[in-house]
Each structure stands twice: as C-alpha cells, then as structure tokens.
C-alpha cells in the first residue's frame, strides 16, 4: 500500500523560507521508475504542479516558480524535501506530496499540509 | 505553456443523471497524455482516469474518459451521491498543468 505524508510548519512569515517534508512508504525511489513531487492548492482555487524528483536525481520545476523552489531526496529514509524561498501571502494553501507514474499521471496523493503565510 | 480550459464551471444535476465534463487544451496533447481527478470537499484529489480513457484502479465503470487532440470529456453515466465533487483535468504531455476545475453540485 502506497502512502505519502506531508509535514512542515502550518504558519510562516512573509519573506521566510518554507521547508516541507514528504515521508512515503509502499515503494522505493531508488528502484522504481516512479517520481515524487509536489502540487499546491490555494483555498478555493485550482491545483498547481510545483516540482518533481526521480530516482536518478533528475529534477523538474514549474517554470513560474523555479527560481524559488528546490527539491531533494533521501532515498534511504524514503523522504523528499521541498523548499520554497521568499514566501508571500499568495503562497498560502494546501501543499500535496504526490507519486508520479513514469508515464506522468499522479497516481497517489498525500493528505496535504495547509500552510498559511502571514505576519 | 499548455493551458487547459474546463467547462462548465459548475454543473447542477440530480442523482441518477448523466454528467458530461469538458476539457479543452490550447494545443494538441500528444499520445492522449491527459488525466482526470476527483476532489471531494476536505479531501485530497484522487486519480480517476489516465491516458485519456483508462480508468485507475478501483474506479467504478460509471466513470469514462474520451477524446483526443485538444478536446477531452469525462462522463459519469449515473451520478451517485458520492460523485458530487470537483473534477480536474491535467495534461502531462508538456510539463504538467491542470484545468480550473468543474464543480458537480446537487440540483
């Protein structure tokens, strides 16, 4: 059974850096062709893909946010970490960790972590 | 960027009725690299359909995806109470983008 769980701060101040961790089980990033990534959703709005990392440490980022994002992995711990710099109130929303099938669809989702950006 | 436009924004239907949701792409999506997701209130999205028309594991056969090129459709043949939710299409042909969503609400 595949599970993904996000953890991180619920509140960050403007200009701060957000660090989110995804702990996953039921598969291994070092042996599978799957990738792990992140999607976010502002309250009441649509989904937005952010980043992904694969077993070869190849990384892809959203074009609009790539200067602010860094994704990394610790395959031995089955964890993926996302950092987003210079947080603003518009970055408020739920951040989901996802497993990405090697063909590209998002076949498993974490429960999500709500992050509020406010002073 | 490949933009997806979903219509209608809201669909008001009764249980037992048929729902037809549209997703139109700003350019052709190669190899039908399109997926559909359902998001119930307060829950994470879940995969319904991938590759345009293949149902994900455990998805009832009342859900069906169709289309090619720039026009795709998700059909729910007979709405069950648990189907009232928001539905998103997503393309994975050129990077990843989602549509704005269609809310299926009880009439």
């Amino acid at each position: 059974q595949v599970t993904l769980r996000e953890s991180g701060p619920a509140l960050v101040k403007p200009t701060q850096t957000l660090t989110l961790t995804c702990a996953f089980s039921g598969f291994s990033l070092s042996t599978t062709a799957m990738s792990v990534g992140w999607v976010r959703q502002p309250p009441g709005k649509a989904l937005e893909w952010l980043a992904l990392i694969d077993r070869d440490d190849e990384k892809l980022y959203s074009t609009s946010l790539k200067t602010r994002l860094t994704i990394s992995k610790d395959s031995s711990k089955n964890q993926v970490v996302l950092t987003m710099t210079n947080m603003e109130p518009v970055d408020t929303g739920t951040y989901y960790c996802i497993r990405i099938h090697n063909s590209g669809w998002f076949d498993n989702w974490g429960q999500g972590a709500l992050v509020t950006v406010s002073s | 960027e490949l933009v997806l436009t979903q219509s209608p924004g809201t669909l008001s239907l009764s249980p037992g009725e048929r729902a037809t949701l549209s997703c139109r792409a700003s350019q052709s999506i190669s190899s039908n690299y399109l997926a559909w997701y359902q998001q119930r209130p307060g829950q994470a999205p879940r995969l319904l359909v991938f590759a345009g028309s293949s149902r994900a594991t455990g998805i009832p056969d009342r859900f069906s995806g169709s289309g090619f090129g720039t026009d795709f459709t998700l059909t729910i043949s007979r709405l069950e109470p648990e189907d009232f939710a928001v539905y998103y299409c997503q393309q994975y042909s050129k990077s990843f983008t989602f549509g704005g969503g269609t809310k299926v609400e009880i009439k």
Side-chain angles (χ1 to χ4, degrees):
Chain A
Q1 180 189 3
V2 173
T3 63
L4 307 107
R5 177 160 295 193
E6 308 86 351
S7 61
L11 179 67
V12 297
K13 290 180 167 38
T15 76
Q16 286 187 337
T17 294
L18 170 68
T19 299
L20 292 170
T21 299
C22 173
F24 57 88
S25 63
F27 68 102
S28 170
L29 246 187
S30 58
T31 58
T32 184
M34 307 286 189
S35 303
V36 174
W38 294 88
V39 167
R40 72 175 179 178
Q41 184 174 38
K45 296 189 177 180
L47 302 162
E48 178 184 22
W49 171 76
L50 300 177
L52 72 82
I53 189 167
D54 71 9
R55 67 177 176 183
D56 296 324
D57 214 37
E58 291 293 319
K59 301 159 190 174
L60 285 176
Y61 295 104
S62 162
T63 302
S64 61
L65 291 168
K66 65 185 304 182
T67 60
R68 299 173 55 203
L69 295 172
T70 302
I71 192 169
S72 62
K73 65 181 174 65
D74 185 335
S75 296
S76 65
K77 294 183 179 178
N78 282 353
Q79 289 184 348
V80 168
V81 175
L82 180 76
T83 64
M84 181 180 291
T85 61
N86 195 25
M87 293 290 285
E88 303 175 6
V90 294
D91 296 313
T92 292
T94 299
Y95 287 71
Y96 294 100
C97 179
I98 54 172
R99 190 180 79 162
I100 304 167
H101 188 275
N102 60 347
S103 293
W105 57 84
F106 303 167
D107 64 0
N108 284 273
W109 296 65
Q111 63 188 10
L114 177 61
V115 178
T116 301
V117 185
S118 174
S119 55
Chain B
E1 179 179 288
L2 203 162
V3 176
L4 299 178
T5 302
Q6 292 188 242
S7 62
T10 302
L11 200 49
S12 299
L13 295 168
S14 301
E17 290 193 295
R18 182 185 187 90
T20 303
L21 288 67
S22 173
C23 177
R24 178 161 291 177
S26 60
Q27 53 189 281
S28 185
I29 296 176
S30 60
S31 304
N32 276 5
Y33 282 170
L34 187 111
W36 291 91
Y37 301 85
Q38 176 194 66
Q39 187 175 33
R40 294 171 175 149
Q43 295 186 14
R46 71 162 175 162
L47 177 68
L48 295 176
V49 169
F50 60 91
S53 60
S54 296
R55 271 188 302 276
T57 302
I59 301 303
D61 60 8
R62 64 179 181 273
F63 291 92
S64 62
S66 62
F68 67 94
T70 60
D71 290 293
F72 295 84
T73 300
L74 177 71
T75 302
I76 311 171
S77 59
R78 288 179 56 86
L79 284 164
E80 297 287 341
E82 62 268 27
D83 300 336
F84 291 92
V86 179
Y87 294 83
Y88 294 96
C89 59
Q90 175 231 349
Q91 66 81 23
Y92 45 96
S93 173
K94 296 181 179 179
S95 189
F96 306 93
T97 51
F98 289 92
T102 290
K103 181 180 181 180
V104 179
E105 65 175 23
I106 299 176
K107 186 174 181 180

